[in-house]
């Protein structure tokens, strides 16, 4: 016993020596790192803490990490999460002790100041990395490797802080020219942080009290409520002491955005909603979620990596989608580990839990390291002041489309969403869904797209007029007023559209004050008395519609006018006539389109009209033009086949398994006699085919128990069959057999990696158990034979035969059970 104790003592001493040596190697004098993040005593921050702590461990971040926990004494009495992270308690300033202002964001600078003054750790550190709780670390954040220097902190780019360019900076810092638009990831030398932190706090208080300059057009705060005062406090405080940042726009990424080619982000900031296919995540939807303390509860599982690889062909967009699922999977893994630490019972087996524990997931989430391109810094000069925009990062885009709670719009939504994911369109997409309360109760299509719900205006609340088209401007206005939008440009589409490629402001030259749209030449009211009656600037009336690319600032000013002008034109029944409006029905049905044109004219928003973005199927395309959008609002045909969306107004194509439209003709059957007709018909076939592909993929996800699937083989076989079908459809759309082979091989590889290791263990265990059972039976039988050795030879032979038969039969049974059960 003494020898064992001595051996254990030597082992402990050896491990301590190794740890000390490792610590000295990683944290030599001058290179000691400490990571900080700020939270409050709420469930909302607890699950974020669990996710961040899990990623901190997986990323192998150097040095200790400390949670700055801001709580009131009353909150601490009922707080359950003190064990979730190494914690330094900070007095809460959510309610300002002097002004009484409720502003929880001030706890971040206040917490850092308190830590610097009172923590022993702050006296033994050289570099401090400051993060937000809603972040996932993908790889070690090493200040000197990122380029941080004493006097030159590194930070991520926050381009929306427009107050650095206007009166706000002039009011709140003596050096407005030094104001940097930065935030999120902050990497400081401790000496700089000590000098800067008190100013961060005081400038935050100063901006927060400047209510006269909270407006969106001054600060960029979409709510106009001073909510980003802490961010300006940071920028103004740094400018005040002349701290110029090394600004990086590559190290941090928002899930949902596409990383630039060659860039490996090492930090994800999930502050905005994001989606992958029909799955989406919004942190604000889980504000009061006690998921940390609810055994077995995780956030809804996202698609698996192999599904994402088949969903997106463009490699960078695919990387963006994989980052999105990596983010939520890392948080869920952290929750799973935390539940175990809380003493929760082991959760029941599921395919998703098995994936989170698999070798494949471990390999996918190994620490990432920035590439040389990732470490490139933005120029010190203000990019906003460079006229030609050379070298500036592409602006963020958000795509929206408007629908109602009907199956007619549901199949259109399925088609548009499928084409969105195939097109390479950057940024997020949101369906603006206008429903009455009664319709919403019965509505089945809530999961078809990331959705913003809007009160229906189909029946006007004041006039009682039935005009569903007004929902489009009403929905855009509601979205602007109620959603947290972090995008510089908005692309507005109709539901009856198919995307064939990306629609970006940089390609089509959209700019603030100059939106881009497509020609609607039939809006003849722009040329006559209708425009003179409804806008002060009829000369500025543009005949446009369909696809709209508009700067967010223009859209905020314009949206209300769009709605008002729509109401105004709709009420002008005296001028519904076809020769005035161009409306073939003379029923005011295109009032919303005039509302758009007249509202834009009122603000003198002149459009860049582009004829190469959109085409109606059935129209002859211009040779060489790569149209980005099909707008199937009109009937079109190829030979005896035709399609008219109005014919499918009352048909439920989405909830009826395997419903589809009549297949268009095979392209090989088309005549090549007329090149124009051939190009026209090929586009028409592509549109019809894309709609059916979208429906088929939708049904593969929703109709797993339909007869077309071999469900007896289990869910995995069903899913595999669905993915194989997807591969086939993608092959047809890009006409590439080799791509199918490589994708399928990749799929097989991933499936193999994701196979639970426990499955193989149980097969081996049951096989071994069967063998042992066989030996036990053999021993029993043999012992019986020995005891009965004095009996007659004939009787002995008969008994041996019987026992042998019994043994063989049981051997087969055991073998059968040992193999069949786990499969």
């Amino acid at each position: 016993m003494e020898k064992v104790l001595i051996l254990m003592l030597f082992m402990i001493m050896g491990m301590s020596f190794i740890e000390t040596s490792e610590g000295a190697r990683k944290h030599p004098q001058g290179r000691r790192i400490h990571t900080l993040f700020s939270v409050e005593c709420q469930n909302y921050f607890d699950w974020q803490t669990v996710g961040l702590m899990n990623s901190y461990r997986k990323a192998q971040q150097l040095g200790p990490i400390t949670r700055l926990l801001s709580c009131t004494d009353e909150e601490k009495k009922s707080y359950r999460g003190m064990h979730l992270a190494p914690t330094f308690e900070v007095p809460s300033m959510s309610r300002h002790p002097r002004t009484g202002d409720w502003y929880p964001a001030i706890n971040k600078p206040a917490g850092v100041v308190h830590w610097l003054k009172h923590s022993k750790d702050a006296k033994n550190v050289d570099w401090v990395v400051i993060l937000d709780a809603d972040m996932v670390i993908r790889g070690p954040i090493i200040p000197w490797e990122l380029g941080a220097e004493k006097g030159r902190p590194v930070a991520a780019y926050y381009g929306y802080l427009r107050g650095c360019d206007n009166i706000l900076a002039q009011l709140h810092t003596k050096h407005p020219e030094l104001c940097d638009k930065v935030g999120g990831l902050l990497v400081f030398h401790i000496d700089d942080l000590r000098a800067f932190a008190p100013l961060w706090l005081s400038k935050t208080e100063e901006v927060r009290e400047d209510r006269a300059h909270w407006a969106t057009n001054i600060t960029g705060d979409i709510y106009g409520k001073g909510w980003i005062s802490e961010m300006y406090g940071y920028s103004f405080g740094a400018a005040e002491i002349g701290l110029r940042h090394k600004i990086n726009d590559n190290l941090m990424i928002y899930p949902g955005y596409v990383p630039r080619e060659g860039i490996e982000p090492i930090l994800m900031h999930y502050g905005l909603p994001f989606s992958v296919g029909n799955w989406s995540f919004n942190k604000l939807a889980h504000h009061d979620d006690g998921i940390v303390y609810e055994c077995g509860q995780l956030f809804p599982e996202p698609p698996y990596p192999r599904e994402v690889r088949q969903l997106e062909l463009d490699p960078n967009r695919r990387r963006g989608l994989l980052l999105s699922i990596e983010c939520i999977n890392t948080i869920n893994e952290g929750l799973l580990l935390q539940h175990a630490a809380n003493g929760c019972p082991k959760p029941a087996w599921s395919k998703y839990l098995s994936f989170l524990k698999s070798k494949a997931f471990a390999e996918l989430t190994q620490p990432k390291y920035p590439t040389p391109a990732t470490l490139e810094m933005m120029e010190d000069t203000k990019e906003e002041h460079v006229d030609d925009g050379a070298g500036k990062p592409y602006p963020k885009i958000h795509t929206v489309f408007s629908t109602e709670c009907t199956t007619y719009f549901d199949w259109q939504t399925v088609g548009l969403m499928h084409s969105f994911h195939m097109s390479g369109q950057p940024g997020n997409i949101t369906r603006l869904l206008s429903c009455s309360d009664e319709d919403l109760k019965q509505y089945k299509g809530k999961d078809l797209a990331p959705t913003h719900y809007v009160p229906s205006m189909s029946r006007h609340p004041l006039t009682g007029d039935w005009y569903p088209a007004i929902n489009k401007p009403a929905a855009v206005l509601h979205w602007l007023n109620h959603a947290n939008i972090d995008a510089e440009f908005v692309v507005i589409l109709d539901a009856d559209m198919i995307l064939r490629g990306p629609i970006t402001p940089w390609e089509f030259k959209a700019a603030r004050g100059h939106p881009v749209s497509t020609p609607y030449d039939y809006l003849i009211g722009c040329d006559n008395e209708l425009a003179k009656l409804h806008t002060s600037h009829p000369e500025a009336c543009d005949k446009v519609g369909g696809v709209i690319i508009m700067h967010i600032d223009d859209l905020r000013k314009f949206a209300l006018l769009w709605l008002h002008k729509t109401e105004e034109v709709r009420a002008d029944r005296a001028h519904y006539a076809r020769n005035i409006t161009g409306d073939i029905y003379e029923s005011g049905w295109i009032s919303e389109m005039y509302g758009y044109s007249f509202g834009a004219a009122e603000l003198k928003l002149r459009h860049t009209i582009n004829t190469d973005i959109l085409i109606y199927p059935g129209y002859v395309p211009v040779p060489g033009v790569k149209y980005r959008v099909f707008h199937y609002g009109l009937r079109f045909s190829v030979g005896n086949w035709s399609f008219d969306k109005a014919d499918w107004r009352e048909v439920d194509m989405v909830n009826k398994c395997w419903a589809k439209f009549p297949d268009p003709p095979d392209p090989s059957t088309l005549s090549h006699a007329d090149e124009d007709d051939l190009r026209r018909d090929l586009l028409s076939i592509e549109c019809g085919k894309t709609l059916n592909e979208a429906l088929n993929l939708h049904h593969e996800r929703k109709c797993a128990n339909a007869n077309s699937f071999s469900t007896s083989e289990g869910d995995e076989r069903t899913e595999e069959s669905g993915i194989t079908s997807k591969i086939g459809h993608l092959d047809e759309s890009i006409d590439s057999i080799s791509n199918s082979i490589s994708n399928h091989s990749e799929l097989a590889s991933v499936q193999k990696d994701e196979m639970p290791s426990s499955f193989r263990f149980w097969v081996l265990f049951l096989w071994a158990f069967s063998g042992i059972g066989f030996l036990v039976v053999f021993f029993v039988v043999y012992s019986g034979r020995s005891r009965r050795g004095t009996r007659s030879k004939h009787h002995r032979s008969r008994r041996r035969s019987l026992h042998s038969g019994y043994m063989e039969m049981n051997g087969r049974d055991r073998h059968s059970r040992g193999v069949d059960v786990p499969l």
Side-chain angles (χ1 to χ4, degrees), residues 465-652:
D465 177 40
W466 177 259
Y467 183 54
I470 201 172
N471 284 314
K472 185 175 180 180
V476 170
L477 181 63
H478 191 277
W479 177 67
L480 289 171
N481 288 334
H482 293 85
N484 184 9
I485 306 164
D486 181 31
E488 194 171 338
F489 282 89
V490 177
V491 177
I492 304 175
L493 305 176
D494 289 336
D496 58 343
M497 289 182 172
I498 294 293
L499 277 167
R500 305 179 68 239
I503 304 168
T504 60
W506 52 88
E507 179 177 359
F508 294 104
K509 310 303 181 186
R512 185 180 298 172
H514 294 283
V516 170
S517 192
T518 52
Y520 269 11
D521 293 330
Y522 57 84
L523 297 179
I524 60 176
C526 275
D527 299 328
N528 57 39
E529 60 187 292
L530 198 66
K532 296 174 184 176
L533 286 169
H534 295 288
T535 174
S536 306
H537 306 287
E539 75 286 352
C541 184
D542 290 327
K543 301 177 184 179
V544 292
V547 175
I548 299 159
I549 313 172
M550 189 175 287
H551 194 280
I552 188 68
D553 293 345
D554 296 332
L555 190 58
R556 291 189 187 283
K557 297 173 188 175
F558 160 73
L560 186 60
L561 274 170
W562 185 5
L563 177 60
H564 285 341
K565 290 296 179 182
T566 299
E567 294 173 310
E568 189 179 307
V569 176
R570 180 68 182 169
D572 185 7
R573 295 178 177 273
H575 294 92
Y576 275 6
R578 181 174 182 174
N579 64 326
I580 296 175
T581 64
D583 179 1
I584 61 173
Y585 302 106
E586 299 189 329
S587 59
W589 200 251
I590 57 176
S591 298
E592 172 270 317
M593 299 178 189
Y594 279 115
Y596 178 91
S597 292
F598 295 160
E602 202 73 0
L603 294 175
K604 291 189 175 180
L605 281 178
R606 299 313 303 264
H607 293 77
T608 300
I609 303 175
N610 192 295
T611 60
D612 297 343
I613 298 176
L614 177 146
I615 188 170
Y616 285 86
Y619 281 41
V620 176
V622 175
V625 174
K626 296 181 179 179
Y627 296 97
R628 306 302 170 86
V629 176
F630 285 138
H631 191 184
Y632 55 90
L634 304 174
R635 183 182 186 88
F636 58 99
S637 61
V638 178
N640 294 328
W641 175 89
S642 67
F643 182 84
D644 188 338
K645 69 170 187 174
D647 293 341
W648 304 91
R649 184 177 292 275
E650 306 297 333
V651 182
D652 189 349

Side-chain angles (χ1 to χ4, degrees), residues 279 298-305 325-333 336 348-358 361 756:
W279 175 91
L298 302 177
F299 293 118
E301 64 181 75
Y304 290 91
I325 64 170
E326 178 187 326
C327 176
I328 198 66
N329 283 334
T330 302
I331 297 172
N332 273 343
E333 181 190 35
L336 197 63
W349 184 91
S350 72
K351 180 182 172 184
Y352 182 55
L353 293 186
S354 182
F355 167 68
L356 292 181
K357 297 176 182 179
S358 70
F361 180 65

